[in-house]
Amino acid sequence: VALAESGLRGLALSRLKLGATLSLMTILALGGIATVVHPMLPAPSANVEPPVADPRPAGRTMPARTDLLGDPLPEGALARIGTTRLRVDGVLGAIVFSNDYRWIAYGTESGVVHVCEAGTGKPLFEMETEQFKPITELAFSPDGRTLAASGFWCKEVHLIDVATQKIRHTLSNTVEGQGNWARLRQGPGLAFTPDGQMLLVGGKDGALHFWDPATATEVAALAQTDELVLSLTLTTDGRTALTSHYRGALHLWDVTKRKHLRKLAASAQQPNFTALAPDGQTMALAASANEIQSWNIEGGLRHRLRLSTPVVGTGFRPDGLLQLAEGNGTITLWDVRIGATRSSFTCPDISVGRRDRTTAWFESQGKRMAWEILGTIRPWDLTTRQETPRLTAYPQGVEWAGFSADGRRLYACGSNGDLGVWDAATGRRQGAPRKIDAPWRACPQPAADRRRVAIASRHPDRNFGLVGGLVFLWDPAKDADPVPLRDQVGPAWYAALSPDNRFLVATEATGQIRVYDAGTGKPMRSFAGRKQEYRPTFSPDGQVLATTGAYPTIRLYHFPSGQVLRELKMPTSAVSLAFAPDGGSLASGHQDLPMHRDPGGPPGDMICLWETATGRELCRISAGHLRVEALCYSPDGLLLASGGFDRRIRVWEAATGQERRRYVGHRNQVESLDFAPDGLQLASASADGSALVWQVFDPAPAERTAAELDTLWTDLTKDGGEAHRAIAALIAAKRSAAFLSARLRPAEQPPKEQVNQWLADLRSPQFKTREAAQIAMLRVGEMIEPALRRALEASTDPEERQRLVTIRAGISLLERRPELLRELRAVEVLAHLGTAEARRVLAALAKGAPESRLTRQARVSLAQPERAHDRSKP
């Protein structure tokens, strides 16, 4: 895995042996004569993929942390909003209840079986094996002690002992040549008889198999067709079974006598919604997405029921009434014998407007059921008509989570418009929950000062395509409802507040970019944009507005005039944008579209860094997210966090593109990221219904020996994860400010005479002299860049020109300047310490040569709000 994910780091070439034999290819790879790289970013490259960072702290065991429900937090997490209970980490395949309703089991198409407490959703265990893929069939034994699990492509049925959490037996469920059928949506293919003495399995060979679960012995196999069984229904008395088969055939079986009764005249259009009534005399089947029919077992059509929205689940009650679940959240009780509707009610917050993203399962007693919507399982008590248990404030996922201005609270917005304020340290709610109308999706974007949030509410059209919606302004600190934008002109895709909070920009479905007064809601002006323009993002000074959309280009507008400054072109469209705090660069996150990928080229899910002033691409990082949904810079601009469809969060060093840290813990895609104002914590929001607060630096011992400090000083020159741990250790160490003060010196501008001597030495007949001059000039880099440029223009000697090109190109490659890289990381330590002594060191460094990168970074760190790192807290 490490080898697969490490890849090649563009421009971080293996050690170049400089001399008379430097090749032209090396010069071109290093950027050429005209390459000028932004001072805080690495040079352009085809692909940058650093080694995997080890997220574990060195030499220290982290104490286990739990959320408010008592569930363990993932490593590196400090608090959780919401919960991951009853969450699917993939596409849901099946849900089943034990007869006493003690357990709920559910399986995913990725091959994971979950078993949890029905009353609380607390996980009992998860089981995953390659043999399980996918899990689409589950059945509990009557006593709830055994769980049978299989799937459409599984070759076996696994009998899992719930108490020991181990596979007790494995039964064959396929025949040669029938292991890979075309995927169809199906119903349960397993059923225990009421006494638990027999397990019925609908086989891929078309037969109904009888197994003794105690001995794993097949007792009988009844067949009338070779069309594989897609669903199996057993009456509550266990006497009669109904199977639906590939191509729609229906067969009725006598279970007690183990014989075939008849093939039915009806044909199942949707086999997963075919069910047999408890009396064994009536069946129900889906004739279409919106029509349910009842038939007698002789093949006569009795009644039809047309519904307003598609059926997503069916189940007979013991009294013979059929329960139907519709995609809009409605539960209907239908009497199949007379064709009359007995009752119906709607479960709130269930419909998302798309049938294929909502499914439902009923338990055999008809008292409870469960919806699955966007990866969340929501059990419902049909007697009380209440969601039981109701576990999360964000049933459709958390779209965004961000820190308050003081870093003590976390503001969060759900995909369905649920809003809340939470304690960032504990995950407890503060104030009353709020909500906006978001039938499809809420798209929030906070102001730069973290005091207000602009939210565009998405709405679906009748063909399930997205159209723009209303814009709301939310002030979380006021504990009040969000306010709709007054005088909104047209539906908006996205909305964003300018850094000074004076303006609100909305990208409209018509292609216009409209500017409103953020205080009054009055429209002020508009300028032409593009249709389906997304993610409006302001530069920190408010002069540039960046947007992306359904195009492989990023557009930069001059916001005051509305004029297009430039377009940044990429093979794939960008789905996330973030400006660096100094505004000098823009990061864009892309999605992996294989059809746009060059043969043999790197994956398309990359992070690109652009120079804002010129639009020049500075760096590419192979992100490994499939789709880079979220990007966020740390307040000092040194770190860049990314997240996406792979559910992982990666923290990159912006100056080198090296991966500094990785977090694993979400069960669904990461939707947003936000660094706390002090840069010591990171908040992530996920479609799994939770938001997590992560610590950027792990706690470490405060007492360090002189030898240990020296080792950490050396480690500051190392790659990614090792350097990150060294920074964390120095932040925690008591004497680190004094230690760094003794090793850091303000950058000094080299005297003109010295520069001229170095330039002369490049022409020396002695190789060692030429080599020493090149190394010395690379150290001072940007401070002598004008002299390098003039020398290059005047030089006619091939080797001298090669060395000058190498020096200029290497200025931004911190991997080739390890001393400077160590000093910049030491400045990061001092900034996080925030003590008076640390700030004195920063102030001294800030007085160095103005062109020095060290000087500039010290000034940026000093400009951050004063803070003292509390070593008593993680």
Side-chain angles (χ1 to χ4, degrees):
V1 173
L3 288 173
E5 293 190 344
S6 62
L8 295 175
R9 282 189 48 82
L11 293 183
L13 302 177
S14 60
R15 300 175 181 175
L16 296 176
K17 297 182 179 179
L18 298 175
T21 59
L22 275 173
S23 67
L24 177 62
M25 291 300 293
T26 300
I27 298 173
L28 294 176
L30 288 171
I33 295 175
T35 300
V36 179
V37 184
H38 187 273
M40 287 303 295
L41 295 171
S45 65
N47 183 40
V48 178
E49 175 64 10
V52 175
D54 186 352
R56 296 172 299 177
R60 181 166 182 175
T61 302
M62 296 295 295
R65 296 190 179 95
T66 60
D67 62 14
L68 295 178
L69 290 175
D71 295 334
L73 292 172
E75 187 172 16
L78 300 172
R80 177 187 281 133
I81 290 172
T83 181
T84 56
R85 290 187 181 184
L86 296 178
R87 287 285 169 172
V88 178
D89 54 355
V91 179
L92 186 73
I95 299 176
V96 67
F97 307 85
S98 62
N99 283 354
D100 58 3
Y101 200 66
R102 183 181 180 187
W103 310 117
I104 296 178
Y106 54 99
T108 67
E109 293 197 354
S110 59
V112 184
V113 175
H114 303 256
V115 178
C116 59
E117 293 179 356
T120 64
K122 182 178 180 180
L124 178 64
F125 69 89
E126 295 179 7
M127 182 177 292
E128 178 179 12
T129 73
E130 189 65 26
Q131 298 171 328
F132 280 9
K133 290 184 178 181
I135 294 296
T136 56
E137 301 172 16
L138 293 171
F140 270 112
S141 61
D143 59 9
R145 296 179 179 179
T146 303
L147 176 66
S150 187
F152 195 77
W153 291 320
C154 295
K155 295 184 178 181
E156 298 91 11
V157 177
H158 303 278
L159 301 183
I160 303 171
D161 188 305
V162 176
T164 64
Q165 304 168 20
K166 294 181 179 179
I167 297 176
R168 182 187 300 151
H169 297 298
T170 298
L171 320 177
S172 175
N173 186 33
T174 187
V175 293
E176 189 68 28
Q178 292 182 310
N180 291 300
W181 291 83
R183 180 73 176 100
L184 292 176
R185 192 175 181 184
Q186 65 184 89
L190 309 171
F192 281 93
T193 55
D195 58 8
Q197 299 299 309
M198 202 66 62
L199 173 66
L200 274 59
V201 178
K204 293 179 181 179
D205 55 358
L208 180 61
H209 297 266
F210 293 72
W211 289 85
D212 183 337
T215 62
T217 303
E218 185 172 14
V219 177
L222 310 179
Q224 285 292 314
T225 175
D226 60 357
E227 298 288 353
L228 75 163
V229 178
L230 293 180
S231 71
L232 164 66
T233 303
L234 186 64
T235 54
T236 52
D237 60 9
R239 295 178 177 273
T240 309
L242 173 70
T243 57
S244 61
H245 297 252
Y246 192 60
R247 306 188 192 282
L250 297 170
H251 290 267
L252 205 63
W253 312 83
D254 187 317
V255 175
T256 55
K257 296 180 180 180
R258 298 176 190 169
K259 70 176 184 178
H260 179 260
L261 293 177
R262 65 178 63 87
K263 179 180 179 181
L264 304 180
S267 178
Q269 302 299 314
Q270 294 178 284
N272 52 312
F273 299 140
T274 302
L276 187 62
D279 61 6
Q281 300 300 308
T282 308
M283 69 175 181
L285 58 85
S288 67
N290 294 65
E291 181 177 318
I292 295 292
Q293 298 177 353
S294 66
W295 292 68
N296 59 40
I297 58 173
E298 284 75 26
L301 175 63
R302 286 184 171 181
H303 305 286
R304 304 173 187 264
L305 176 63
R306 292 284 299 176
L307 301 166
S308 58
T309 54
V311 176
V312 296
T314 61
F316 273 105
R317 299 197 322 186
D319 60 5
L321 298 178
L322 182 68
Q323 295 179 118
L324 302 168
E326 299 180 56
N328 63 358
T330 299
I331 302 294
T332 299
L333 195 60
W334 190 43
D335 191 327
V336 296
R337 293 163 294 190
I338 61 176
T341 299
R342 291 288 186 90
S343 64
S344 68
F345 72 94
T346 300
C347 303
D349 300 325
I350 292 298
S351 174
V352 293
R354 290 187 64 125
R355 175 191 168 212
D356 61 352
R357 301 194 73 179
T358 307
T359 50
W361 283 263
F362 293 89
E363 55 100 8
S364 59
Q365 300 303 310
K367 296 180 180 180
R368 296 175 178 86
M369 57 87 64
W371 299 93
E372 186 268 328
I373 175 170
L374 297 176
T376 304
I377 297 172
R378 303 181 62 182
W380 224 269
D381 187 317
L382 298 177
T383 304
T384 63
R385 298 185 177 183
Q386 297 293 320
E387 185 175 359
T388 307
R390 184 175 178 85
L391 293 175
T392 177
Y394 299 103
Q396 294 182 21
V398 184
E399 187 72 25
W400 166 81
F403 287 97
S404 61
D406 60 7
R408 296 180 180 179
R409 294 175 298 281
L410 204 64
Y411 306 144
C413 175
S415 296
N416 64 343
D418 288 335
L419 305 172
V421 179
W422 308 81
D423 185 298
T426 64
R428 294 187 184 278
R429 184 187 287 276
Q430 296 184 342
R434 308 291 173 182
K435 187 173 177 61
I436 63 171
D437 179 29
W440 187 276
R441 183 184 180 193
C443 300
Q445 188 153 326
D449 62 5
R450 303 172 180 269
R451 299 189 184 281
R452 289 200 295 176
V453 183
I455 308 172
S457 170
R458 297 278 195 88
H459 294 253
D461 67 12
R462 60 186 175 183
N463 295 318
F464 303 132
L466 289 179
V467 298
L470 300 177
V471 176
F472 295 83
L473 283 171
W474 180 40
D475 188 339
K478 290 185 177 180
D479 195 20
D481 289 327
V483 179
L485 183 67
R486 293 180 54 188
D487 303 320
Q488 183 175 341
V489 175
W493 285 102
Y494 286 87
L497 289 158
S498 62
D500 59 8
N501 249 319
R502 292 177 55 199
F503 307 108
L504 182 141
V505 168
T507 58
E508 297 181 350
T510 60
Q512 287 293 108
I513 298 178
R514 200 166 302 276
V515 182
Y516 294 86
D517 184 302
T520 65
K522 298 289 184 181
M524 300 180 65
R525 60 187 175 93
S526 67
F527 53 91
R530 301 170 292 180
K531 289 186 177 180
Q532 296 184 347
E533 193 142 39
Y534 310 146
R535 311 277 187 173
T537 305
F538 278 99
S539 62
D541 61 5
Q543 294 297 299
V544 179
L545 180 70
T547 64
T548 182
Y551 319 93
T553 58
I554 300 164
R555 184 171 282 186
L556 302 183
Y557 296 91
H558 179 244
F559 178 65
S561 66
Q563 297 297 313
V564 177
L565 292 173
R566 60 189 58 86
E567 288 190 343
L568 315 177
K569 296 183 179 180
M570 286 294 298
T572 61
S573 60
V575 292
S576 55
L577 298 172
F579 275 101
D582 64 0
S585 60
L586 172 71
S588 60
H590 299 258
Q591 57 186 337
D592 191 17
L593 298 177
M595 69 285 296
H596 294 157
R597 189 189 303 170
D598 295 333
D605 52 325
M606 65 190 74
I607 300 169
C608 294
L609 303 180
W610 311 85
E611 188 174 56
T612 306
T614 64
R616 187 163 51 88
E617 184 181 345
L618 301 171
C619 176
R620 291 189 189 183
I621 301 172
S622 183
H625 291 305
L626 302 179
R627 175 182 166 104
V628 187
E629 189 71 23
L631 282 175
C632 179
Y633 274 98
S634 61
D636 56 13
L638 296 177
L639 301 178
L640 176 66
S642 66
F645 276 22
D646 71 336
R647 309 173 221 164
R648 292 172 172 82
I649 300 163
R650 292 168 169 85
V651 179
W652 312 90
E653 189 169 55
T656 63
Q658 295 177 9
E659 184 177 354
R660 291 263 295 261
R661 181 151 193 181
R662 183 177 299 188
Y663 301 103
V664 179
H666 281 300
R667 302 185 75 94
N668 211 323
Q669 69 192 51
V670 177
E671 301 282 11
S672 80
L673 294 165
D674 184 45
F675 277 97
D678 62 5
L680 294 174
Q681 294 179 349
L682 177 68
S684 61
S686 172
D688 67 6
S690 72
L692 287 166
V693 177
W694 306 87
Q695 55 188 6
V696 176
F697 299 102
D698 286 326
E703 298 296 337
R704 293 284 184 174
T705 65
E708 288 175 327
L709 290 174
D710 286 337
T711 299
L712 294 174
W713 175 250
T714 301
D715 289 347
L716 289 181
T717 64
K718 294 183 178 179
D719 240 15
E722 287 185 271
H724 192 78
R725 288 189 288 273
I727 292 171
L730 286 169
I731 291 173
K734 288 182 178 180
R735 298 183 293 111
S736 56
F739 172 81
L740 295 176
S741 175
R743 284 158 178 77
L744 295 172
R745 293 290 181 269
E748 296 183 0
Q749 183 71 36
K752 184 177 181 180
E753 295 77 10
Q754 178 64 72
V755 177
N756 291 336
Q757 182 60 53
W758 284 332
L759 291 172
D761 289 345
L762 289 180
R763 298 186 294 273
S764 171
Q766 299 297 322
F767 176 79
K768 289 183 178 181
T769 303
R770 300 194 304 270
E771 190 80 357
Q774 178 171 316
I775 293 173
M777 295 175 78
L778 185 59
R779 285 174 180 166
V780 295
E782 61 276 354
M783 291 186 282
I784 62 169
E785 207 281 332
L788 291 171
R789 184 177 63 252
R790 291 192 299 268
L792 185 59
E793 292 171 352
S795 176
T796 58
D797 180 80
E799 183 182 344
E800 181 187 10
R801 290 181 60 83
Q802 289 174 357
R803 289 186 180 277
L804 289 170
V805 168
T806 301
I807 295 169
R808 291 190 64 196
I811 290 174
S812 296
L813 293 176
L814 291 180
E815 296 90 339
R816 297 185 55 78
R817 305 174 69 188
E819 294 85 1
L820 176 59
L821 179 57
R822 172 163 55 192
E823 291 171 342
L824 293 175
R825 288 169 171 171
V827 167
E828 183 179 355
V829 173
L830 293 169
H832 284 300
L833 286 174
T835 61
E837 184 177 9
R839 293 185 69 84
R840 281 196 298 270
V841 179
L842 289 173
L845 296 175
K847 295 177 181 178
E851 294 82 4
S852 168
R853 191 164 181 172
L854 177 63
T855 302
R856 294 198 303 269
Q857 187 57 54
R859 291 175 178 176
V860 170
S861 298
L862 273 178
Q864 297 295 314
E866 290 191 31
R867 59 183 184 271
H869 181 70
D870 186 353
R871 293 180 176 81
S872 67
K873 295 180 180 180

